[in-house]
Amino acid sequence: MQAMDLDRTYQADTLQTALIQCKEKGIVTFKQIEIETGVSRSAISQVANHGVALHAEKMNRIEGWLRANAPQTLPDDSEDGTQQLNMLRTNSTVNIYPTQDMQKLIGWLTTIYKHQAIGALVGPAGSGKTTILQQYAKVNPNAKYMKCWALMHMRDLLDMIGDAFGVTLKGTMYRRQQQLIAELRGTDAMLLLDEAEFLKTWNIKKLEVLREIWDAIGIPIVLCGTDGLKDVLIRGTGRDNCAQLYRRLWQGVTSGISETEMNAILGDYKMTAEAARVLTAMAVDHRHGGMGNAFEMLRIAMEIADDDVITPAILKQATQYKVLFK
């Protein structure tokens, strides 16, 4: 999962609308589409009822059938939307796929937002945490994604949050905190703080300040990070602890992508079965970068292959390229 797959999402939305029109007008049954396209009725139903984005080949089969049998339900080929769909069929970019883990955690974030809770999203590097937060921020304009940095001071943290909401903070740290509370009180704002393990230095004051903000106005906050964040929340620093924060937390955990999902995703790309096995093994190896590493390797391999078939030899070149220019 690297960047939002807008083309795939657009195609799913378009097909959902078309299938609903076909069903309402009695043009066709999903069974008939299954027989003529080879796409299962359950998959077609997922698109029609929930707007689920299938793999590109299956969606293209459904679209092809609709253009041949119910063209009035789809946008004209000259429209911008159809041009967007055609971009996807080149398979020249690394797309976002709604894995089960992503869908589950998007739902978890929605629950945090609805209940104005404070949560911690924890998982290994490369398991999709950042992508999940960024994609949620795109569908919820009230949620602001922010990345924490190792050298941040308290003022930096407060100013970063203020900047995200267009608020200029002034004065002492206390005045900044109180001004931020006053500005955000009664709004639908939500904070998504990535790499939150960096909020701990020799003490946990930054985390405590966030807890105080949440206590004061109930603004939903999500702290996201690796096991380092989990350790801080559970054990503190040795000198102090996060008991006041930890007891309030709703907890979410990323599990990454499954072998089955990764194999299905790679079916959209031109590569040998062995190359797909290599990339799948990378994606589920959370100790060495997981999905982040696998999709980075896929992107480099696609550049090297230049629209040709990706082979293990090309993946080896991609590995050498990555090491050389890392």
Side-chain angles (χ1 to χ4, degrees), residues 146 154 157-170 173-187 189 191 209-210 213 216-217 219:
M146 287 161 270
M154 185 71 76
L157 173 63
L158 294 174
D159 285 351
M160 179 178 72
I161 296 172
D163 290 344
F165 293 98
V167 177
T168 301
L169 306 178
K170 298 179 180 179
M173 296 305 100
Y174 171 74
R175 290 185 179 278
R176 277 175 153 79
Q177 181 196 36
Q178 296 306 307
Q179 184 183 351
L180 191 58
I181 288 172
E183 292 285 350
L184 297 182
R185 188 187 302 276
T187 70
L191 308 183
V209 164
L210 289 172
I213 292 173
I217 57 176
I219 180 175

PDB file of all heavy atoms in Angstrom, residues 146 154 157-170 173-187 189 191 209-210 213 216-217 219:
ATOM      1  N   MET A 146      -0.489  14.017  10.997  1.00  0.00           N
ATOM      2  CA  MET A 146       0.753  14.704  11.345  1.00  0.00           C
ATOM      3  C   MET A 146       1.820  13.676  11.686  1.00  0.00           C
ATOM      4  O   MET A 146       1.519  12.658  12.326  1.00  0.00           O
ATOM      5  CB  MET A 146       0.534  15.628  12.545  1.00  0.00           C
ATOM      6  CG  MET A 146      -0.260  16.882  12.235  1.00  0.00           C
ATOM      7  SD  MET A 146      -0.964  17.654  13.722  1.00  0.00           S
ATOM      8  CE  MET A 146      -2.547  16.836  13.791  1.00  0.00           C
ATOM      9  N   MET A 154       8.260  20.526  22.910  1.00  0.00           N
ATOM     10  CA  MET A 154       6.847  20.726  23.222  1.00  0.00           C
ATOM     11  C   MET A 154       6.241  21.817  22.352  1.00  0.00           C
ATOM     12  O   MET A 154       5.128  21.670  21.820  1.00  0.00           O
ATOM     13  CB  MET A 154       6.686  21.103  24.693  1.00  0.00           C
ATOM     14  CG  MET A 154       5.237  21.217  25.139  1.00  0.00           C
ATOM     15  SD  MET A 154       4.454  19.603  25.227  1.00  0.00           S
ATOM     16  CE  MET A 154       5.200  18.999  26.760  1.00  0.00           C
ATOM     17  N   LEU A 157       5.475  20.522  18.882  1.00  0.00           N
ATOM     18  CA  LEU A 157       4.282  19.681  18.840  1.00  0.00           C
ATOM     19  C   LEU A 157       3.012  20.523  18.823  1.00  0.00           C
ATOM     20  O   LEU A 157       2.124  20.323  17.977  1.00  0.00           O
ATOM     21  CB  LEU A 157       4.261  18.734  20.043  1.00  0.00           C
ATOM     22  CG  LEU A 157       2.983  17.907  20.236  1.00  0.00           C
ATOM     23  CD1 LEU A 157       2.757  16.972  19.065  1.00  0.00           C
ATOM     24  CD2 LEU A 157       3.038  17.139  21.553  1.00  0.00           C
ATOM     25  N   LEU A 158       2.913  21.480  19.742  1.00  0.00           N
ATOM     26  CA  LEU A 158       1.720  22.310  19.816  1.00  0.00           C
ATOM     27  C   LEU A 158       1.553  23.156  18.555  1.00  0.00           C
ATOM     28  O   LEU A 158       0.435  23.281  18.021  1.00  0.00           O
ATOM     29  CB  LEU A 158       1.781  23.207  21.051  1.00  0.00           C
ATOM     30  CG  LEU A 158       1.728  22.476  22.403  1.00  0.00           C
ATOM     31  CD1 LEU A 158       1.952  23.462  23.546  1.00  0.00           C
ATOM     32  CD2 LEU A 158       0.398  21.743  22.582  1.00  0.00           C
ATOM     33  N   ASP A 159       2.653  23.711  18.049  1.00  0.00           N
ATOM     34  CA  ASP A 159       2.574  24.534  16.840  1.00  0.00           C
ATOM     35  C   ASP A 159       2.187  23.685  15.624  1.00  0.00           C
ATOM     36  O   ASP A 159       1.463  24.151  14.739  1.00  0.00           O
ATOM     37  CB  ASP A 159       3.911  25.233  16.588  1.00  0.00           C
ATOM     38  CG  ASP A 159       4.147  26.402  17.550  1.00  0.00           C
ATOM     39  OD1 ASP A 159       3.211  26.757  18.283  1.00  0.00           O
ATOM     40  OD2 ASP A 159       5.270  26.939  17.570  1.00  0.00           O
ATOM     41  N   MET A 160       2.678  22.440  15.567  1.00  0.00           N
ATOM     42  CA  MET A 160       2.333  21.563  14.453  1.00  0.00           C
ATOM     43  C   MET A 160       0.824  21.290  14.435  1.00  0.00           C
ATOM     44  O   MET A 160       0.189  21.339  13.374  1.00  0.00           O
ATOM     45  CB  MET A 160       3.095  20.240  14.556  1.00  0.00           C
ATOM     46  CG  MET A 160       2.774  19.252  13.438  1.00  0.00           C
ATOM     47  SD  MET A 160       3.730  17.708  13.553  1.00  0.00           S
ATOM     48  CE  MET A 160       2.921  16.954  14.997  1.00  0.00           C
ATOM     49  N   ILE A 161       0.252  21.054  15.606  1.00  0.00           N
ATOM     50  CA  ILE A 161      -1.188  20.818  15.679  1.00  0.00           C
ATOM     51  C   ILE A 161      -1.947  22.088  15.317  1.00  0.00           C
ATOM     52  O   ILE A 161      -2.918  22.056  14.552  1.00  0.00           O
ATOM     53  CB  ILE A 161      -1.584  20.343  17.091  1.00  0.00           C
ATOM     54  CG1 ILE A 161      -0.926  18.992  17.397  1.00  0.00           C
ATOM     55  CG2 ILE A 161      -3.102  20.219  17.202  1.00  0.00           C
ATOM     56  CD1 ILE A 161      -1.108  18.528  18.829  1.00  0.00           C
ATOM     57  N   GLY A 162      -1.485  23.213  15.832  1.00  0.00           N
ATOM     58  CA  GLY A 162      -2.128  24.481  15.497  1.00  0.00           C
ATOM     59  C   GLY A 162      -2.088  24.755  14.006  1.00  0.00           C
ATOM     60  O   GLY A 162      -3.104  25.129  13.402  1.00  0.00           O
ATOM     61  N   ASP A 163      -0.927  24.561  13.389  1.00  0.00           N
ATOM     62  CA  ASP A 163      -0.774  24.799  11.947  1.00  0.00           C
ATOM     63  C   ASP A 163      -1.722  23.928  11.139  1.00  0.00           C
ATOM     64  O   ASP A 163      -2.258  24.353  10.096  1.00  0.00           O
ATOM     65  CB  ASP A 163       0.666  24.529  11.512  1.00  0.00           C
ATOM     66  CG  ASP A 163       1.643  25.576  12.041  1.00  0.00           C
ATOM     67  OD1 ASP A 163       1.182  26.650  12.473  1.00  0.00           O
ATOM     68  OD2 ASP A 163       2.863  25.305  12.033  1.00  0.00           O
ATOM     69  N   ALA A 164      -1.920  22.679  11.592  1.00  0.00           N
ATOM     70  CA  ALA A 164      -2.787  21.755  10.858  1.00  0.00           C
ATOM     71  C   ALA A 164      -4.222  22.275  10.776  1.00  0.00           C
ATOM     72  O   ALA A 164      -4.948  21.973   9.824  1.00  0.00           O
ATOM     73  CB  ALA A 164      -2.762  20.380  11.526  1.00  0.00           C
ATOM     74  N   PHE A 165      -4.612  23.066  11.766  1.00  0.00           N
ATOM     75  CA  PHE A 165      -5.971  23.600  11.791  1.00  0.00           C
ATOM     76  C   PHE A 165      -6.011  25.103  11.514  1.00  0.00           C
ATOM     77  O   PHE A 165      -7.023  25.760  11.749  1.00  0.00           O
ATOM     78  CB  PHE A 165      -6.614  23.301  13.145  1.00  0.00           C
ATOM     79  CG  PHE A 165      -6.850  21.835  13.382  1.00  0.00           C
ATOM     80  CD1 PHE A 165      -5.951  21.098  14.138  1.00  0.00           C
ATOM     81  CD2 PHE A 165      -7.938  21.190  12.827  1.00  0.00           C
ATOM     82  CE1 PHE A 165      -6.144  19.746  14.354  1.00  0.00           C
ATOM     83  CE2 PHE A 165      -8.145  19.837  13.028  1.00  0.00           C
ATOM     84  CZ  PHE A 165      -7.244  19.110  13.788  1.00  0.00           C
ATOM     85  N   GLY A 166      -4.899  25.641  11.015  1.00  0.00           N
ATOM     86  CA  GLY A 166      -4.859  27.052  10.658  1.00  0.00           C
ATOM     87  C   GLY A 166      -4.867  27.990  11.842  1.00  0.00           C
ATOM     88  O   GLY A 166      -5.350  29.120  11.746  1.00  0.00           O
ATOM     89  N   VAL A 167      -4.333  27.535  12.976  1.00  0.00           N
ATOM     90  CA  VAL A 167      -4.315  28.348  14.193  1.00  0.00           C
ATOM     91  C   VAL A 167      -2.874  28.710  14.538  1.00  0.00           C
ATOM     92  O   VAL A 167      -2.017  27.825  14.644  1.00  0.00           O
ATOM     93  CB  VAL A 167      -4.947  27.579  15.375  1.00  0.00           C
ATOM     94  CG1 VAL A 167      -4.850  28.416  16.649  1.00  0.00           C
ATOM     95  CG2 VAL A 167      -6.388  27.214  15.066  1.00  0.00           C
ATOM     96  N   THR A 168      -2.579  29.995  14.713  1.00  0.00           N
ATOM     97  CA  THR A 168      -1.258  30.448  15.118  1.00  0.00           C
ATOM     98  C   THR A 168      -1.224  30.611  16.632  1.00  0.00           C
ATOM     99  O   THR A 168      -2.001  31.391  17.201  1.00  0.00           O
ATOM    100  CB  THR A 168      -0.901  31.792  14.456  1.00  0.00           C
ATOM    101  OG1 THR A 168      -0.931  31.632  13.032  1.00  0.00           O
ATOM    102  CG2 THR A 168       0.488  32.248  14.874  1.00  0.00           C
ATOM    103  N   LEU A 169      -0.351  29.855  17.282  1.00  0.00           N
ATOM    104  CA  LEU A 169      -0.268  29.873  18.740  1.00  0.00           C
ATOM    105  C   LEU A 169       0.831  30.824  19.208  1.00  0.00           C
ATOM    106  O   LEU A 169       1.866  30.942  18.554  1.00  0.00           O
ATOM    107  CB  LEU A 169      -0.004  28.461  19.265  1.00  0.00           C
ATOM    108  CG  LEU A 169      -0.985  27.377  18.808  1.00  0.00           C
ATOM    109  CD1 LEU A 169      -0.575  26.029  19.369  1.00  0.00           C
ATOM    110  CD2 LEU A 169      -2.406  27.726  19.227  1.00  0.00           C
ATOM    111  N   LYS A 170       0.606  31.459  20.336  1.00  0.00           N
ATOM    112  CA  LYS A 170       1.586  32.405  20.872  1.00  0.00           C
ATOM    113  C   LYS A 170       1.706  32.241  22.385  1.00  0.00           C
ATOM    114  O   LYS A 170       0.829  31.716  23.048  1.00  0.00           O
ATOM    115  CB  LYS A 170       1.167  33.845  20.552  1.00  0.00           C
ATOM    116  CG  LYS A 170       1.083  34.163  19.060  1.00  0.00           C
ATOM    117  CD  LYS A 170       0.640  35.596  18.837  1.00  0.00           C
ATOM    118  CE  LYS A 170       0.554  35.911  17.343  1.00  0.00           C
ATOM    119  NZ  LYS A 170       0.105  37.308  17.099  1.00  0.00           N
ATOM    120  N   MET A 173       4.235  27.768  26.877  1.00  0.00           N
ATOM    121  CA  MET A 173       3.676  26.465  26.523  1.00  0.00           C
ATOM    122  C   MET A 173       2.257  26.321  27.078  1.00  0.00           C
ATOM    123  O   MET A 173       1.378  25.783  26.399  1.00  0.00           O
ATOM    124  CB  MET A 173       4.555  25.332  27.070  1.00  0.00           C
ATOM    125  CG  MET A 173       5.955  25.271  26.481  1.00  0.00           C
ATOM    126  SD  MET A 173       5.976  25.162  24.682  1.00  0.00           S
ATOM    127  CE  MET A 173       6.307  26.871  24.249  1.00  0.00           C
ATOM    128  N   TYR A 174       2.063  26.784  28.288  1.00  0.00           N
ATOM    129  CA  TYR A 174       0.724  26.700  28.888  1.00  0.00           C
ATOM    130  C   TYR A 174      -0.278  27.511  28.077  1.00  0.00           C
ATOM    131  O   TYR A 174      -1.387  27.036  27.790  1.00  0.00           O
ATOM    132  CB  TYR A 174       0.756  27.227  30.328  1.00  0.00           C
ATOM    133  CG  TYR A 174      -0.610  27.369  30.941  1.00  0.00           C
ATOM    134  CD1 TYR A 174      -1.330  26.247  31.350  1.00  0.00           C
ATOM    135  CD2 TYR A 174      -1.186  28.631  31.090  1.00  0.00           C
ATOM    136  CE1 TYR A 174      -2.602  26.386  31.896  1.00  0.00           C
ATOM    137  CE2 TYR A 174      -2.454  28.771  31.639  1.00  0.00           C
ATOM    138  CZ  TYR A 174      -3.161  27.648  32.037  1.00  0.00           C
ATOM    139  OH  TYR A 174      -4.410  27.777  32.564  1.00  0.00           O
ATOM    140  N   ARG A 175       0.098  28.749  27.702  1.00  0.00           N
ATOM    141  CA  ARG A 175      -0.813  29.587  26.913  1.00  0.00           C
ATOM    142  C   ARG A 175      -1.093  28.963  25.548  1.00  0.00           C
ATOM    143  O   ARG A 175      -2.223  29.028  25.046  1.00  0.00           O
ATOM    144  CB  ARG A 175      -0.235  30.995  26.752  1.00  0.00           C
ATOM    145  CG  ARG A 175      -0.235  31.802  28.048  1.00  0.00           C
ATOM    146  CD  ARG A 175       0.223  33.227  27.818  1.00  0.00           C
ATOM    147  NE  ARG A 175       0.199  33.998  29.053  1.00  0.00           N
ATOM    148  CZ  ARG A 175      -0.882  34.568  29.565  1.00  0.00           C
ATOM    149  NH1 ARG A 175      -2.044  34.457  28.933  1.00  0.00           N
ATOM    150  NH2 ARG A 175      -0.818  35.252  30.702  1.00  0.00           N
ATOM    151  N   ARG A 176      -0.073  28.368  24.957  1.00  0.00           N
ATOM    152  CA  ARG A 176      -0.268  27.699  23.667  1.00  0.00           C
ATOM    153  C   ARG A 176      -1.266  26.541  23.808  1.00  0.00           C
ATOM    154  O   ARG A 176      -2.155  26.357  22.977  1.00  0.00           O
ATOM    155  CB  ARG A 176       1.068  27.177  23.131  1.00  0.00           C
ATOM    156  CG  ARG A 176       1.898  28.210  22.389  1.00  0.00           C
ATOM    157  CD  ARG A 176       3.262  27.619  22.014  1.00  0.00           C
ATOM    158  NE  ARG A 176       3.826  28.246  20.824  1.00  0.00           N
ATOM    159  CZ  ARG A 176       4.433  29.415  20.790  1.00  0.00           C
ATOM    160  NH1 ARG A 176       4.555  30.110  21.930  1.00  0.00           N
ATOM    161  NH2 ARG A 176       4.916  29.902  19.667  1.00  0.00           N
ATOM    162  N   GLN A 177      -1.072  25.741  24.860  1.00  0.00           N
ATOM    163  CA  GLN A 177      -1.969  24.613  25.072  1.00  0.00           C
ATOM    164  C   GLN A 177      -3.406  25.093  25.280  1.00  0.00           C
ATOM    165  O   GLN A 177      -4.346  24.547  24.675  1.00  0.00           O
ATOM    166  CB  GLN A 177      -1.517  23.796  26.289  1.00  0.00           C
ATOM    167  CG  GLN A 177      -2.405  22.583  26.557  1.00  0.00           C
ATOM    168  CD  GLN A 177      -2.193  22.018  27.951  1.00  0.00           C
ATOM    169  OE1 GLN A 177      -1.963  22.764  28.908  1.00  0.00           O
ATOM    170  NE2 GLN A 177      -2.252  20.690  28.068  1.00  0.00           N
ATOM    171  N   GLN A 178      -3.595  26.119  26.102  1.00  0.00           N
ATOM    172  CA  GLN A 178      -4.938  26.608  26.387  1.00  0.00           C
ATOM    173  C   GLN A 178      -5.577  27.270  25.160  1.00  0.00           C
ATOM    174  O   GLN A 178      -6.793  27.159  24.943  1.00  0.00           O
ATOM    175  CB  GLN A 178      -4.903  27.593  27.564  1.00  0.00           C
ATOM    176  CG  GLN A 178      -4.468  26.958  28.878  1.00  0.00           C
ATOM    177  CD  GLN A 178      -5.305  25.738  29.235  1.00  0.00           C
ATOM    178  OE1 GLN A 178      -6.530  25.819  29.273  1.00  0.00           O
ATOM    179  NE2 GLN A 178      -4.661  24.607  29.486  1.00  0.00           N
ATOM    180  N   GLN A 179      -4.759  27.952  24.347  1.00  0.00           N
ATOM    181  CA  GLN A 179      -5.281  28.555  23.130  1.00  0.00           C
ATOM    182  C   GLN A 179      -5.737  27.469  22.161  1.00  0.00           C
ATOM    183  O   GLN A 179      -6.795  27.580  21.521  1.00  0.00           O
ATOM    184  CB  GLN A 179      -4.203  29.427  22.468  1.00  0.00           C
ATOM    185  CG  GLN A 179      -4.719  30.162  21.223  1.00  0.00           C
ATOM    186  CD  GLN A 179      -3.619  30.962  20.531  1.00  0.00           C
ATOM    187  OE1 GLN A 179      -2.521  31.110  21.054  1.00  0.00           O
ATOM    188  NE2 GLN A 179      -3.928  31.471  19.349  1.00  0.00           N
ATOM    189  N   LEU A 180      -4.960  26.401  22.070  1.00  0.00           N
ATOM    190  CA  LEU A 180      -5.311  25.280  21.191  1.00  0.00           C
ATOM    191  C   LEU A 180      -6.618  24.635  21.649  1.00  0.00           C
ATOM    192  O   LEU A 180      -7.503  24.342  20.833  1.00  0.00           O
ATOM    193  CB  LEU A 180      -4.180  24.251  21.188  1.00  0.00           C
ATOM    194  CG  LEU A 180      -4.239  23.141  20.136  1.00  0.00           C
ATOM    195  CD1 LEU A 180      -4.267  23.720  18.725  1.00  0.00           C
ATOM    196  CD2 LEU A 180      -3.050  22.199  20.304  1.00  0.00           C
ATOM    197  N   ILE A 181      -6.760  24.443  22.945  1.00  0.00           N
ATOM    198  CA  ILE A 181      -7.987  23.874  23.500  1.00  0.00           C
ATOM    199  C   ILE A 181      -9.185  24.765  23.170  1.00  0.00           C
ATOM    200  O   ILE A 181     -10.243  24.283  22.752  1.00  0.00           O
ATOM    201  CB  ILE A 181      -7.850  23.694  25.031  1.00  0.00           C
ATOM    202  CG1 ILE A 181      -6.880  22.535  25.334  1.00  0.00           C
ATOM    203  CG2 ILE A 181      -9.209  23.433  25.674  1.00  0.00           C
ATOM    204  CD1 ILE A 181      -6.529  22.389  26.800  1.00  0.00           C
ATOM    205  N   ALA A 182      -9.018  26.080  23.332  1.00  0.00           N
ATOM    206  CA  ALA A 182     -10.116  27.018  23.062  1.00  0.00           C
ATOM    207  C   ALA A 182     -10.506  26.999  21.584  1.00  0.00           C
ATOM    208  O   ALA A 182     -11.696  27.055  21.242  1.00  0.00           O
ATOM    209  CB  ALA A 182      -9.708  28.428  23.484  1.00  0.00           C
ATOM    210  N   GLU A 183      -9.502  26.938  20.705  1.00  0.00           N
ATOM    211  CA  GLU A 183      -9.766  26.962  19.263  1.00  0.00           C
ATOM    212  C   GLU A 183     -10.464  25.691  18.788  1.00  0.00           C
ATOM    213  O   GLU A 183     -11.302  25.729  17.881  1.00  0.00           O
ATOM    214  CB  GLU A 183      -8.455  27.146  18.495  1.00  0.00           C
ATOM    215  CG  GLU A 183      -7.800  28.504  18.662  1.00  0.00           C
ATOM    216  CD  GLU A 183      -8.518  29.591  17.879  1.00  0.00           C
ATOM    217  OE1 GLU A 183      -9.403  29.261  17.060  1.00  0.00           O
ATOM    218  OE2 GLU A 183      -8.181  30.777  18.088  1.00  0.00           O
ATOM    219  N   LEU A 184     -10.120  24.541  19.377  1.00  0.00           N
ATOM    220  CA  LEU A 184     -10.650  23.262  18.900  1.00  0.00           C
ATOM    221  C   LEU A 184     -11.903  22.810  19.639  1.00  0.00           C
ATOM    222  O   LEU A 184     -12.569  21.874  19.207  1.00  0.00           O
ATOM    223  CB  LEU A 184      -9.575  22.176  19.020  1.00  0.00           C
ATOM    224  CG  LEU A 184      -8.312  22.375  18.167  1.00  0.00           C
ATOM    225  CD1 LEU A 184      -7.353  21.210  18.354  1.00  0.00           C
ATOM    226  CD2 LEU A 184      -8.669  22.541  16.698  1.00  0.00           C
ATOM    227  N   ARG A 185     -12.218  23.474  20.726  1.00  0.00           N
ATOM    228  CA  ARG A 185     -13.400  23.095  21.500  1.00  0.00           C
ATOM    229  C   ARG A 185     -14.661  23.204  20.639  1.00  0.00           C
ATOM    230  O   ARG A 185     -14.891  24.205  19.954  1.00  0.00           O
ATOM    231  CB  ARG A 185     -13.544  23.987  22.725  1.00  0.00           C
ATOM    232  CG  ARG A 185     -14.658  23.527  23.688  1.00  0.00           C
ATOM    233  CD  ARG A 185     -14.866  24.558  24.801  1.00  0.00           C
ATOM    234  NE  ARG A 185     -13.648  24.795  25.558  1.00  0.00           N
ATOM    235  CZ  ARG A 185     -13.236  24.046  26.572  1.00  0.00           C
ATOM    236  NH1 ARG A 185     -13.951  22.993  26.941  1.00  0.00           N
ATOM    237  NH2 ARG A 185     -12.117  24.334  27.215  1.00  0.00           N
ATOM    238  N   GLY A 186     -15.478  22.169  20.652  1.00  0.00           N
ATOM    239  CA  GLY A 186     -16.735  22.201  19.915  1.00  0.00           C
ATOM    240  C   GLY A 186     -16.609  21.925  18.432  1.00  0.00           C
ATOM    241  O   GLY A 186     -17.610  21.937  17.710  1.00  0.00           O
ATOM    242  N   THR A 187     -15.400  21.683  17.934  1.00  0.00           N
ATOM    243  CA  THR A 187     -15.223  21.356  16.523  1.00  0.00           C
ATOM    244  C   THR A 187     -15.264  19.838  16.326  1.00  0.00           C
ATOM    245  O   THR A 187     -15.278  19.068  17.287  1.00  0.00           O
ATOM    246  CB  THR A 187     -13.875  21.881  15.999  1.00  0.00           C
ATOM    247  OG1 THR A 187     -12.802  21.117  16.586  1.00  0.00           O
ATOM    248  CG2 THR A 187     -13.686  23.346  16.343  1.00  0.00           C
ATOM    249  N   ALA A 189     -12.838  18.220  14.949  1.00  0.00           N
ATOM    250  CA  ALA A 189     -11.437  17.921  14.634  1.00  0.00           C
ATOM    251  C   ALA A 189     -11.010  16.558  15.174  1.00  0.00           C
ATOM    252  O   ALA A 189     -11.552  16.060  16.166  1.00  0.00           O
ATOM    253  CB  ALA A 189     -10.539  19.013  15.195  1.00  0.00           C
ATOM    254  N   LEU A 191      -7.115  14.278  15.617  1.00  0.00           N
ATOM    255  CA  LEU A 191      -5.661  14.282  15.462  1.00  0.00           C
ATOM    256  C   LEU A 191      -5.163  12.874  15.170  1.00  0.00           C
ATOM    257  O   LEU A 191      -5.476  11.935  15.907  1.00  0.00           O
ATOM    258  CB  LEU A 191      -4.984  14.790  16.740  1.00  0.00           C
ATOM    259  CG  LEU A 191      -5.445  16.124  17.319  1.00  0.00           C
ATOM    260  CD1 LEU A 191      -4.602  16.476  18.535  1.00  0.00           C
ATOM    261  CD2 LEU A 191      -5.365  17.218  16.282  1.00  0.00           C
ATOM    262  N   VAL A 209       0.516  16.067  27.815  1.00  0.00           N
ATOM    263  CA  VAL A 209      -0.140  17.273  27.308  1.00  0.00           C
ATOM    264  C   VAL A 209      -1.263  16.902  26.345  1.00  0.00           C
ATOM    265  O   VAL A 209      -2.350  17.503  26.371  1.00  0.00           O
ATOM    266  CB  VAL A 209       0.891  18.198  26.630  1.00  0.00           C
ATOM    267  CG1 VAL A 209       0.194  19.242  25.755  1.00  0.00           C
ATOM    268  CG2 VAL A 209       1.744  18.897  27.680  1.00  0.00           C
ATOM    269  N   LEU A 210      -1.035  15.898  25.504  1.00  0.00           N
ATOM    270  CA  LEU A 210      -2.090  15.431  24.597  1.00  0.00           C
ATOM    271  C   LEU A 210      -3.263  14.861  25.389  1.00  0.00           C
ATOM    272  O   LEU A 210      -4.424  15.082  25.042  1.00  0.00           O
ATOM    273  CB  LEU A 210      -1.532  14.373  23.645  1.00  0.00           C
ATOM    274  CG  LEU A 210      -0.560  14.879  22.580  1.00  0.00           C
ATOM    275  CD1 LEU A 210       0.070  13.701  21.841  1.00  0.00           C
ATOM    276  CD2 LEU A 210      -1.259  15.814  21.586  1.00  0.00           C
ATOM    277  N   ILE A 213      -5.316  17.701  26.723  1.00  0.00           N
ATOM    278  CA  ILE A 213      -6.148  18.298  25.670  1.00  0.00           C
ATOM    279  C   ILE A 213      -7.388  17.447  25.447  1.00  0.00           C
ATOM    280  O   ILE A 213      -8.510  17.954  25.346  1.00  0.00           O
ATOM    281  CB  ILE A 213      -5.341  18.459  24.363  1.00  0.00           C
ATOM    282  CG1 ILE A 213      -4.248  19.522  24.556  1.00  0.00           C
ATOM    283  CG2 ILE A 213      -6.257  18.830  23.201  1.00  0.00           C
ATOM    284  CD1 ILE A 213      -3.285  19.632  23.389  1.00  0.00           C
ATOM    285  N   ALA A 216      -9.814  17.772  28.253  1.00  0.00           N
ATOM    286  CA  ALA A 216     -10.481  19.070  28.301  1.00  0.00           C
ATOM    287  C   ALA A 216     -11.611  19.190  27.288  1.00  0.00           C
ATOM    288  O   ALA A 216     -12.666  19.765  27.588  1.00  0.00           O
ATOM    289  CB  ALA A 216      -9.461  20.190  28.079  1.00  0.00           C
ATOM    290  N   ILE A 217     -11.417  18.651  26.069  1.00  0.00           N
ATOM    291  CA  ILE A 217     -12.417  18.893  25.012  1.00  0.00           C
ATOM    292  C   ILE A 217     -12.890  17.628  24.305  1.00  0.00           C
ATOM    293  O   ILE A 217     -13.751  17.690  23.424  1.00  0.00           O
ATOM    294  CB  ILE A 217     -11.871  19.888  23.963  1.00  0.00           C
ATOM    295  CG1 ILE A 217     -10.565  19.375  23.350  1.00  0.00           C
ATOM    296  CG2 ILE A 217     -11.693  21.263  24.566  1.00  0.00           C
ATOM    297  CD1 ILE A 217     -10.021  20.271  22.244  1.00  0.00           C
ATOM    298  N   ILE A 219     -11.507  15.806  22.086  1.00  0.00           N
ATOM    299  CA  ILE A 219     -11.153  15.701  20.678  1.00  0.00           C
ATOM    300  C   ILE A 219     -10.552  14.318  20.409  1.00  0.00           C
ATOM    301  O   ILE A 219      -9.668  13.876  21.144  1.00  0.00           O
ATOM    302  CB  ILE A 219     -10.149  16.805  20.271  1.00  0.00           C
ATOM    303  CG1 ILE A 219      -9.780  16.681  18.793  1.00  0.00           C
ATOM    304  CG2 ILE A 219      -8.898  16.776  21.140  1.00  0.00           C
ATOM    305  CD1 ILE A 219      -8.897  17.813  18.301  1.00  0.00           C
TER     306      ILE A 219
END
